[in-house]
Amino acid sequence: MLGQRRKLILIAVMNLQQLFVMCLFLITLITTVSSLTQEQENDRITALPGQPAVEFSQFSGYVTVHKKHGRGLFYWLTEAVNPQDKPLVLWLNGGPGCSSIAYGASEEIGPFRIHKNASSLYLNKYSWNLEANILFLESPAGVGFSYTNTSTELRNSGDKRTARDALKFLKEWMTRFPQYKNRDFYISGESYAGHYVPQLAKKIHNYNKNHPGSFINLKGFIVGNAVTDNQYDNIGTVDYWWSHSIISDTAYKSIKSSCNFKSTKYTEKCDNAIDYAWNNEFGEIDQYSIYTPSCNKSSVNVTSTRLKNSLMRRRVSGYDPCIEKNAEKYFNRPEVQQAMHANNTGIAYKWTACSDELLENWKDSQFSMLPTYKKLIAAGYRIWVFSGDTDSVVPVTATRMSLSHLDLTVKTPWYPWYSKGQVAGWTEVYEGLTFATVRGAGHEVPLFQPKRAFLLFQRFLAGKNLPKS
């Protein structure tokens, strides 16, 4: 009888403890909600059409970065479940001219994937917002829902304005979301964001030195299959084509002897050598993922402009080679735009994954990012560069050749890293930079190898080397 009474008392105590924990949770939730400003509430996404139930908050909307010219950048914040305990990570896609919502958010690291019917969403179990608050930015103006009221700006955009506008966006956005002002902050991205990410990091670094009172707590950045240096990237790219049997010995020798990759302009002989290989030897492959099926003939529309000026355009890739079409259907739906507070200015063109107008009219492109890397390494930022090894557009050989010219001291020599008992790639740790390959991944690493990319991201945030076993 006495034992039964003790059991009843124990159950009662446990119930009280559970009630106490629940009350604390409700108090925290109420405090968090009540602390949101009206501007934040205006940007809150209640739910996207066809969205499964989630426990995290979402916000999206516009931040004006140039009032006179009418430039507004569109963002989408997918918070972590406990946002106050997690860092803030900005994600940028490249192109130049491609949407971070079409690719980063919808195919790679975001919490949702779009069903083929483009009417509903399903969860990505390797979403990066499990580890951080992820801020997707459509940049520069003219990409996706981001806009400019000065139409000529679509034909004279470039690296410098993009970096200036991104810094302006961050300052204004953190004024709207002051809870993130002093949060640990990282920048991430891929492809031509190999320019955007370090350029923005440098802008923030210089801004912090000159404005200590409005400090942005930048800790570092991580970029994948990143455009780094025109000369070394291009040499490494041609080497990849040859070493992976995409082009012949004859074409390889012709390109190497005809092209001066130190130059910003190539001769007609060089152009002809590249065009011959492209048109006669490549075949109908997905150049962003050479071992997976391509979408169809009409979708593979990459030209030798990529090699000539290192301006890349991602067309199709992934296990579903036509996956970007899902995004173009979904984000053009009026009810989706309404839920996301998007296109409220009535953009005169259809939402697309990439802007041809921006790509074809890019006005400035930094020839090499290596001097920027050197400055940021000297400043002590955490820098990781990763590379999917089945991408022929910004291949692993290009990235390795570019980074080798930083002449960094090796801390941890080259070794295989593991996930689920399998080699997930290879890595080498230098003084000031970590490089890693991701085995079996194309240009969009988190699309092809989501678990490996997620582990890579976890280790980056933790500042830990990739696992050796």
Side-chain angles (χ1 to χ4, degrees):
M1 188 71 179
L2 200 58
Q4 183 67 22
R5 186 178 296 172
R6 283 178 182 155
K7 187 184 283 188
L8 290 170
I9 291 170
L10 185 61
I11 291 170
V13 170
M14 288 175 66
N15 287 338
L16 282 171
Q17 287 176 331
Q18 288 174 343
L19 183 63
F20 179 70
V21 171
M22 188 175 289
C23 286
L24 279 178
F25 172 76
L26 288 172
I27 289 167
T28 304
L29 184 64
I30 290 166
T31 303
T32 303
V33 171
S34 63
S35 67
L36 295 180
T37 65
Q38 188 57 53
E39 275 190 305
Q40 291 177 43
E41 284 295 350
N42 292 343
D43 285 359
R44 179 186 288 280
I45 297 175
T46 306
L48 295 168
Q51 175 202 301
V54 295
E55 297 180 14
F56 58 84
S57 296
Q58 305 175 72
F59 302 86
S60 63
Y62 286 95
V63 171
T64 300
V65 293
H66 199 294
K67 288 183 180 179
K68 184 178 179 182
H69 291 182
R71 288 202 302 276
L73 299 186
F74 186 78
Y75 80 90
W76 181 10
L77 172 68
T78 58
E79 288 192 323
V81 172
N82 296 304
Q84 68 280 357
D85 300 328
K86 301 289 196 305
L88 176 67
V89 176
L90 176 71
W91 175 272
L92 300 167
N93 273 91
C98 292
S99 163
S100 298
I101 288 173
Y103 299 112
S106 302
E107 296 183 11
E108 301 184 72
I109 69 167
F112 305 118
R113 294 284 179 271
I114 304 169
H115 280 294
K116 284 186 177 181
N117 60 15
S119 63
S120 60
L121 308 173
Y122 61 99
L123 291 174
N124 169 23
K125 67 178 180 177
Y126 296 113
S127 173
W128 286 14
N129 81 327
L130 294 169
E131 296 292 325
N133 302 286
I134 308 295
L135 178 60
F136 298 98
L137 178 64
E138 294 201 297
S139 173
V143 173
F145 292 123
S146 294
Y147 67 90
T148 173
N149 292 331
T150 308
S151 59
T152 54
E153 290 186 337
L154 298 175
R155 296 186 293 278
N156 61 19
S157 198
D159 284 15
K160 291 178 182 177
R161 185 199 296 159
T162 300
R164 285 197 306 269
D165 281 1
L167 176 61
K168 174 71 171 176
F169 165 83
L170 281 175
K171 291 190 293 182
E172 295 297 325
W173 187 87
M174 286 182 179
T175 300
R176 188 178 303 181
F177 288 83
Q179 64 267 40
Y180 285 104
K181 266 190 175 178
N182 298 311
R183 194 76 57 90
D184 284 0
F185 175 62
Y186 299 90
I187 315 172
S188 58
E190 69 187 11
S191 191
Y192 199 77
H195 280 215
Y196 297 161
V197 171
Q199 285 168 345
L200 176 57
K202 183 181 175 184
K203 278 279 182 189
I204 293 170
H205 176 76
N206 292 337
Y207 174 78
N208 285 342
K209 283 202 304 185
N210 297 320
H211 303 83
S214 52
F215 185 80
I216 296 174
N217 194 19
L218 177 66
K219 296 294 184 181
F221 64 82
I222 179 168
V223 287
N225 291 78
V227 182
T228 305
D229 179 280
N230 282 13
Q231 179 185 354
Y232 304 127
D233 281 0
N234 288 335
I235 294 170
T237 298
V238 178
D239 286 350
Y240 186 92
W241 295 348
W242 177 79
S243 64
H244 286 71
S245 305
I246 296 172
I247 62 172
S248 65
D249 292 358
T250 301
Y252 177 69
K253 291 173 183 175
S254 176
I255 293 171
K256 295 286 285 226
S257 64
S258 302
C259 298
N260 175 15
F261 294 125
K262 293 180 181 179
S263 174
T264 56
K265 293 182 179 179
Y266 302 142
T267 64
E268 184 179 353
K269 189 177 179 182
C270 173
D271 288 344
N272 290 339
I274 296 168
D275 288 342
Y276 178 84
W278 216 294
N279 296 324
N280 297 283
E281 297 186 346
F282 267 73
E284 298 295 342
I285 62 168
D286 180 351
Q287 294 170 31
Y288 297 88
S289 173
I290 63 174
Y291 299 128
T292 55
S294 58
C295 187
N296 55 51
K297 274 191 173 185
S298 62
S299 294
V300 183
N301 187 27
V302 185
T303 71
S304 54
T305 304
R306 151 66 187 107
L307 190 60
K308 294 168 192 171
N309 60 17
S310 288
L311 302 185
M312 280 139 320
R313 164 75 188 267
R314 182 263 187 225
R315 289 284 183 178
V316 293
S317 75
Y319 297 114
D320 175 359
C322 301
I323 193 171
E324 77 175 34
K325 294 180 180 179
N326 302 344
E328 295 207 346
K329 290 177 186 174
Y330 186 78
F331 292 111
N332 272 298
R333 291 173 56 191
E335 62 271 30
V336 172
Q337 295 182 5
Q338 184 176 3
M340 297 186 76
H341 325 112
N343 198 17
N344 52 24
T345 59
I347 296 170
Y349 45 84
K350 187 180 173 184
W351 185 93
T352 58
C354 294
S355 166
D356 285 325
E357 190 167 18
L358 279 171
L359 172 67
E360 292 164 6
N361 294 284
W362 203 251
K363 293 304 180 191
D364 69 77
S365 180
Q366 193 170 328
F367 189 87
S368 176
M369 298 308 304
L370 297 181
T372 304
Y373 270 89
K374 288 178 180 178
K375 179 172 183 175
L376 295 170
I377 289 168
Y381 293 104
R382 183 181 307 160
I383 300 172
W384 281 36
V385 179
F386 62 94
S387 186
D389 60 13
T390 67
D391 174 25
S392 74
V393 179
V394 196
V396 61
T397 47
T399 302
R400 291 181 69 183
M401 185 168 288
S402 290
L403 294 181
S404 71
H405 287 82
L406 288 171
D407 297 320
L408 300 174
T409 301
V410 175
K411 279 177 64 180
T412 306
W414 192 268
Y415 69 89
W417 64 279
Y418 286 80
S419 173
K420 287 278 187 180
Q422 297 291 318
V423 173
W426 288 264
T427 182
E428 190 156 66
V429 182
Y430 306 96
E431 293 284 355
L433 185 144
T434 293
F435 172 70
T437 74
V438 183
R439 183 169 165 239
H443 192 64
E444 292 177 273
V445 169
L447 171 63
F448 293 95
Q449 294 290 344
K451 183 172 179 58
R452 292 174 183 178
F454 184 71
L455 176 57
L456 185 90
F457 181 61
Q458 284 180 312
R459 290 289 178 136
F460 165 73
L461 289 180
K464 294 180 179 179
N465 289 355
L466 290 163
K468 290 187 175 182
S469 63

